[in-house]
Amino acid sequence: MNLKKDWYKWAAAILLLYVLLGGLVLPLRPGIVGISPIRIETGKTVEVEVKVSNSQWTDPTQISAPYPKSLFFVSEKAGTLLVKHYQDSASVISTAKDSLNTMLAWVANGVKYSVTSMYVKGTCNFRMGDNPIPNEMYSVFIQLSNGKYLGLPEAVFIYRGNSDTIGPENGLISMNSSFNNNIPRFEMRFPNRTVLNESVRNLFYHVPMWFAMIALLSISVFYAVNYLRFQRLEDDAMADSLIKVALLAGILGCVTGAIWARVTWHSWWPREDPKLNGVAIGMMMYFAYLLLRSTLSDPYQRARITSVYSIFIFPIFIALILIMPKLSPNSLHPGAGGTVGFSKYDLDSTMRLFFYPAILGWIFLFYWISNLHLRITKLLEKE
Amino acid sequence: MNSIDTLDSQTAEALSQHNNFNVVYCVLLVIFIGILLYLLRLERKIARLEKPQS
């Protein structure tokens, strides 16, 4: 291999090896997986279990990782419920936001640890007092010893039971507003997001398929324009190879996206998502390109017509998969509709370390494959 | 079984599904198979090129 000419093939191999190893081996940060039960009646003694994944809290007596200090039940409407929780013994504090008397009592039975996950088990007895908003979804937060928080939004529904009579009965009242001492610190671990969890790694395998497709199609437009300028069949063959391999990347993007969507969005192909609809039409246009090309036999006529066609459909394709989803009011995809893009603040620095090399690596690999396709086409034409 | 129990069993199900690492393997497998099939197609074209020479 000629290093000067084939540098991108080496780059593809090295980058993809790095992305595969790092993307599969690096662990996730801890995150709350769930709380059980998800409905809690006030005025009754309930056993609550909060499950945390990837905590790496193995032994409570020899903790090197940040350990849980307090547990919060938070609702914007009904106020903040706070339990201070120190490993085995628990002290009970409840806070009231503004004038709402949101009362809570917690008797912890101790924290149970296992190697990869942690359960906080405890019995609690909520008292709503004269809280005017009795039925409400609460988010669960665990405050760690390093000041960070683990959270699960809208995790538990707390509703007023029949035996919960008016008036605060037990517990101490104190104000708590320590939610802003979250110190950002770089960790070589992937973020643990609700719903996504481990599948967040697909960012390095599903998303670059589309980057590769768009990159290859852009280069093919360049060659198609070149063909129209100089009438060299070589340029047309290059553009054709690029489009065919770009379609391969697009098909792989669709299939991998469908698998990912089945697990996280509970549907193979959510019909209301504008990005998916755009991609479906866009892929159809490029399948029509294949069809058009196969019907024409004269090489010059075929090259001229398909070059013009591919130059025209490229901006439409970009509009369908990038611009239209952004304009639409809602989308499940990040960076489309009301959701923010990964680059805005969702993508954290550990993900970046692997995401950008993944994009480059996959683009190089697909470019390499299109290069093979081109060389074979050239040889076939010579015969 | 009342409605609260049903909801709790759903939570238990959700708790057991949080480890979705298998999706990542599935996605990688699909990409691998897709690229492999494409390379096999190219391989067949090369075979066609080699035929007249041998």
Side-chain angles (χ1 to χ4, degrees):
Chain A
M1 269 196 183
N2 182 347
L3 197 67
K4 230 177 184 176
K5 212 180 95 203
D6 297 326
W7 62 271
Y8 67 90
K9 298 172 190 173
W10 289 103
I14 293 163
L15 288 174
L16 288 181
L17 198 70
Y18 163 76
V19 167
L20 274 178
L21 283 178
L24 292 177
V25 167
L26 274 194
L28 294 191
R29 297 195 190 120
I32 298 182
V33 176
I35 177 168
S36 180
I38 55 167
R39 287 169 67 92
I40 296 175
E41 188 178 345
T42 64
K44 259 187 185 174
T45 306
V46 196
E47 188 158 290
V48 175
E49 182 183 299
V50 180
K51 195 177 177 189
V52 180
S53 68
N54 286 67
S55 62
Q56 298 191 331
W57 296 317
T58 46
D59 182 359
T61 55
Q62 298 163 352
I63 292 170
S64 55
Y67 56 91
K69 270 178 77 181
S70 353
L71 192 85
F72 298 84
F73 293 85
V74 179
S75 156
E76 281 181 23
K77 278 190 212 155
T80 304
L81 306 176
L82 164 72
V83 174
K84 271 226 156 88
H85 184 279
Y86 300 102
Q87 291 183 31
D88 279 344
S89 62
S91 66
V92 183
I93 291 178
S94 77
T95 62
K97 192 180 167 189
D98 301 324
S99 58
L100 304 177
N101 294 313
T102 317
M103 294 301 297
L104 165 76
W106 170 285
V107 187
N109 290 342
V111 184
K112 287 188 179 174
Y113 293 89
S114 74
V115 177
T116 52
S117 54
M118 192 206 79
Y119 305 87
V120 185
K121 267 192 179 171
T123 348
C124 65
N125 189 352
F126 289 92
R127 295 270 178 211
M128 285 258 172
D130 41 10
N131 188 339
I133 307 165
N135 303 326
E136 181 62 22
M137 290 299 290
Y138 281 77
S139 304
V140 181
F141 286 91
I142 293 179
Q143 191 187 21
L144 300 176
S145 55
N146 63 354
K148 286 192 170 190
Y149 291 91
L150 312 177
L152 188 66
E154 309 261 296
V156 63
F157 184 75
I158 301 177
Y159 64 103
R160 187 190 290 275
N162 294 331
S163 56
D164 184 12
T165 46
I166 294 297
E169 283 171 17
N170 47 24
L172 302 157
I173 295 176
S174 86
M175 295 306 286
N176 172 66
S177 58
S178 60
F179 263 88
N180 51 3
N181 59 353
N182 196 346
I183 313 142
R185 190 165 51 96
F186 182 73
E187 278 181 278
M188 223 17 203
R189 297 175 86 178
F190 296 130
N192 199 330
R193 301 227 187 279
T194 319
V195 178
L196 277 180
N197 296 320
E198 297 282 358
S199 77
V200 77
R201 299 160 202 272
N202 277 345
L203 185 76
F204 314 132
Y205 312 120
H206 161 73
V207 184
M209 293 296 127
W210 298 108
F211 277 83
M213 185 182 193
I214 293 168
L216 262 57
L217 290 179
S218 319
I219 308 170
S220 89
V221 167
F222 170 77
Y223 280 101
V225 170
N226 259 10
Y227 173 77
L228 294 178
R229 281 173 69 197
F230 308 117
Q231 266 85 45
R232 280 191 314 228
L233 279 181
E234 244 176 82
D235 288 336
D236 172 64
M238 185 72 193
D240 179 55
S241 304
L242 284 165
I243 289 177
K244 280 177 179 158
V245 178
L247 260 175
L248 168 71
I251 293 167
L252 291 179
C254 281
V255 178
T256 55
I259 296 171
W260 197 5
R262 179 66 195 86
V263 175
T264 51
W265 299 338
H266 296 282
S267 163
W268 294 103
W269 194 273
R271 270 170 294 171
E272 63 277 21
D273 192 276
K275 207 153 199 148
L276 293 177
N277 293 334
V279 155
I281 303 166
M283 298 284 281
M284 285 299 165
M285 292 191 310
Y286 277 100
F287 281 123
Y289 164 88
L290 293 184
L291 209 65
L292 177 69
R293 201 174 167 87
S294 67
T295 54
L296 301 165
S297 53
D298 177 51
Y300 286 95
Q301 190 194 26
R302 183 176 62 193
R304 198 174 65 246
I305 292 174
T306 55
S307 291
V308 172
Y309 179 76
S310 71
I311 292 169
F312 266 98
I313 58 173
F314 179 69
I316 303 173
F317 181 75
I318 294 298
L320 281 170
I321 68 164
L322 292 178
I323 298 165
M324 296 298 280
K326 266 220 166 68
L327 293 178
S328 78
N330 46 40
S331 171
L332 292 164
H333 276 93
T339 51
V340 292
F342 268 110
S343 57
K344 186 95 182 207
Y345 49 79
D346 252 344
L347 188 57
D348 81 326
S349 32
T350 314
M351 298 293 279
R352 274 173 216 277
L353 277 182
F354 292 92
F355 184 51
Y356 298 137
I359 292 172
L360 278 183
W362 287 110
I363 289 176
F364 288 154
L365 181 75
F366 282 104
Y367 185 79
W368 184 358
I369 297 174
S370 74
N371 189 266
L372 294 180
H373 188 277
L374 170 76
R375 281 153 69 187
I376 293 167
T377 318
K378 272 187 185 166
L379 285 174
L380 281 171
E381 273 169 3
K382 264 186 200 163
E383 297 218 337
Chain B
M1 195 183 227
N2 61 27
S3 63
I4 296 174
D5 289 338
T6 324
L7 277 170
D8 280 346
S9 70
Q10 280 171 3
T11 322
E13 206 185 306
L15 284 180
S16 65
Q17 279 178 352
H18 80 275
N19 193 347
N20 49 17
F21 211 121
N22 288 344
V23 198
V24 184
Y25 288 132
C26 277
V27 161
L28 275 174
L29 198 71
V30 163
I31 294 172
F32 182 74
I33 290 172
I35 291 176
L36 206 71
L37 287 178
Y38 197 84
L39 289 178
L40 281 175
R41 248 193 79 205
L42 289 185
E43 165 91 33
R44 246 181 290 146
K45 277 190 184 171
I46 295 175
R48 222 185 305 156
L49 279 171
E50 283 169 340
K51 231 178 206 171
Q53 289 159 7
S54 59

